[in-house]
Amino acid sequence: MQTLVKHALSIAVLGTLAGALAPAALASSHREAPFLTQSPKVDGTDFYMFRSYETGRANFVTMIADYVPLQDPGAGPNYFEMDPNALYEIHIDNNGDAKEDLTFQFRFSNTNKDTKLTVGGKAVSIPLVINGGPIAGANAAGANVRETYTVSVVRGDRRTGTKASVTNAADGSTTFDKPLDNIGNKSIPNYTAYAAAHVYNVNIPGCSTPARMFVGQRKDPFVVNLGETFDLVNIKAPATEFAANAEKAAKDDLALKNVTSIEVEVAASCLTASTGTDPVIGGWTTASVRQARLLNPTPNSSSPSKEGGAWTQVSRLGAPLVNEVVIGLKDKDTFNSSKPSGDAQFADYVTNPTLPALIEILYGSAGAKAPTNFPRADLVAAFLTGVKGLNQPTTVTASEMLRLNTTTPAVAMGAQNRLGVIGGDNAGFPNGRRPGDDVVDIALRVVMGKLCTLSLGCVPADAPAGALHFTDGAYLDDSFFNNSFPYLKTPIAGSPQTVTAQGGRGAP
């Protein structure tokens, strides 16, 4: 924390504000823009990028891009396949120009194996994803659908750069199996082992060190008091001191939800610039679909529609969660189609941010006064340029993305501070983002002026509520996750169900 205070914003950094967009997150990116409510398969929900804290993996960076929000565990029979007509991407900027230098591209393919049963002497296709016996391994005989994917690495512009295939280190193949979703314990008796069989050691073209990769369903890692947050921030009023269990006083509305994760663990040296002069990288994830879709009037399982035209980006996610609570409704789909290099168009949403004003209106009686420093230079440092001495690249181009200093040592599980940098843990958000970083509480405090209390881009007098302990009451820390790749927990099974405290039935 002393490093942060020591390196206050310079005049040069303040000058970038005109082209800046500063995010402030209250919730994960679930259903945040009107168009994506119609296309959940390409809705990016969260993006994580952090120094791997698994023992023996200190020189690696893990990137996790989550898609397909609010998955109910028992939502059969088709569950949550990825879109075979979409392009899913993770982008890395390693020279600070707000343009991708390295892109990981994922394409999916779903094959109906058309399992049949003989009924009355006739072979008839079954209606279910699974058939008969338990499923234990990749492409098991009991599975009626096989979902596979390929991965390419593009160096330079994601559409015109040099492209090459990621290969399986075991056999050189370029096609990988994605596990079925966690249907239930009868279909997949040991889902943890089954999913682990889909963790691949891979070779990335241009990288001398093998990487690891996993794509599949996980327990949704985000924790948030979603319902009360969007009911005009109907959460507990902040206090100057931590009240007993205040940060654990609310329900996590995603506690019984799953998500689909794309995870890649890559040597840090493969992500930074080849010149080796700058250890800071920026990252964001996107999803794109074709410009045109022609519906088949006589559809079947292999051709319900015909896709064509250029790729069109429909989802974008860097820091959590800009689009949901910062970007105005009229510009939400525009933001999802934009690139970091074009973020100047959204400047008004940071120069006059509405979230602090809303919090002041709702909790003014509790002393929750919004910061008075305009422009909000503190937010520029935290989210747009990186903080000097922490995660600011040598070349600074104000743009929204998640920035990580790859030389900051990882902090072991159990020792991580859930509040990241403002909690004295420089390996946490906004220096990258780990699964256990409670970005809801962090962002609430930062947007209300926490950095002003450190004289970072503003002074304490600018933030009357800067010392308040804002929280949504839904608790999160590193104990919610595993201490090894792929880090996120096994998804909640659709079966067997348990009776909930409210008398209904739900997943265990």
Side-chain angles (χ1 to χ4, degrees), residues 174-452:
T174 58
T175 299
F176 303 89
D177 274 281
K178 172 182 172 291
L180 295 174
D181 292 345
N182 197 356
I183 299 165
N185 297 348
K186 187 175 182 180
S187 298
I188 309 175
N190 188 342
Y191 195 89
T192 299
Y194 168 68
H198 294 81
V199 174
Y200 297 98
N201 293 317
V202 297
N203 292 321
I204 297 175
C207 296
S208 58
T209 305
R212 289 193 293 187
M213 185 169 65
F214 171 81
V215 177
Q217 191 181 53
R218 298 281 88 189
K219 162 71 180 70
D220 195 321
F222 203 80
V223 170
V224 63
N225 178 4
L226 196 62
E228 291 182 337
T229 294
F230 286 100
D231 182 23
L232 297 179
V233 196
N234 188 20
I235 57 180
K236 184 177 177 62
T240 54
E241 299 293 337
F242 287 114
N245 297 318
E247 294 170 319
K248 301 180 181 180
K251 181 184 71 172
D252 169 22
D253 287 312
L254 302 181
L256 296 179
K257 302 295 183 181
N258 294 324
V259 73
T260 301
S261 298
I262 295 174
E263 305 198 27
V264 188
E265 185 191 52
V266 184
S269 60
C270 292
L271 299 175
T272 54
S274 58
T275 59
T277 57
D278 195 341
V280 176
I281 58 175
W284 68 100
T285 182
T286 63
S288 301
V289 296
R290 296 294 187 182
Q291 281 185 333
R293 170 175 290 179
L294 181 66
L295 297 181
N296 187 345
T298 56
N300 55 51
S301 62
S302 61
S303 59
S305 64
K306 180 67 175 179
E307 321 291 323
W311 289 115
T312 301
Q313 182 181 304
V314 295
S315 179
R316 170 188 167 189
L317 181 58
L321 182 88
V322 182
N323 208 357
E324 198 160 42
V325 296
V326 174
I327 303 299
L329 181 61
K330 70 182 181 66
D331 285 327
K332 288 183 181 294
D333 288 324
T334 301
F335 178 83
N336 269 340
S337 67
S338 66
K339 297 180 179 181
S341 58
D343 280 347
Q345 63 186 302
F346 306 112
D348 285 349
Y349 294 116
V350 63
T351 56
N352 298 85
T354 58
L355 180 59
L358 175 62
I359 292 174
E360 177 179 330
I361 292 170
L362 297 174
Y363 291 119
S365 61
K369 301 297 184 181
T372 58
N373 56 307
F374 298 104
R376 290 293 304 273
D378 52 331
L379 298 185
V380 174
F383 298 109
L384 290 176
T385 63
V387 177
K388 189 174 180 62
L390 179 74
N391 66 339
Q392 186 182 107
T394 302
T395 300
V396 180
T397 303
S399 52
E400 193 285 303
M401 62 179 72
L402 198 59
R403 289 181 173 86
L404 172 68
N405 187 332
T406 60
T407 63
T408 303
V411 174
M413 181 177 172
Q416 297 174 14
N417 190 297
R418 57 183 290 273
L419 296 177
V421 172
I422 66 170
D425 181 356
N426 282 2
F429 183 75
N431 186 18
R433 179 189 177 191
R434 302 166 302 198
D437 292 335
D438 193 339
V439 295
V440 174
D441 285 5
I442 296 169
L444 279 170
R445 298 177 196 194
V446 169
V447 76
M448 292 303 290
K450 175 64 177 179
L451 299 184
C452 295

Side-chain angles (χ1 to χ4, degrees), residues 112-119 122-127 131 144:
N112 179 0
K113 296 163 69 173
D114 196 21
T115 302
K116 293 181 172 64
L117 291 179
T118 300
V119 181
K122 292 185 177 181
V124 182
S125 300
I126 68 169
N131 176 37
N144 194 29

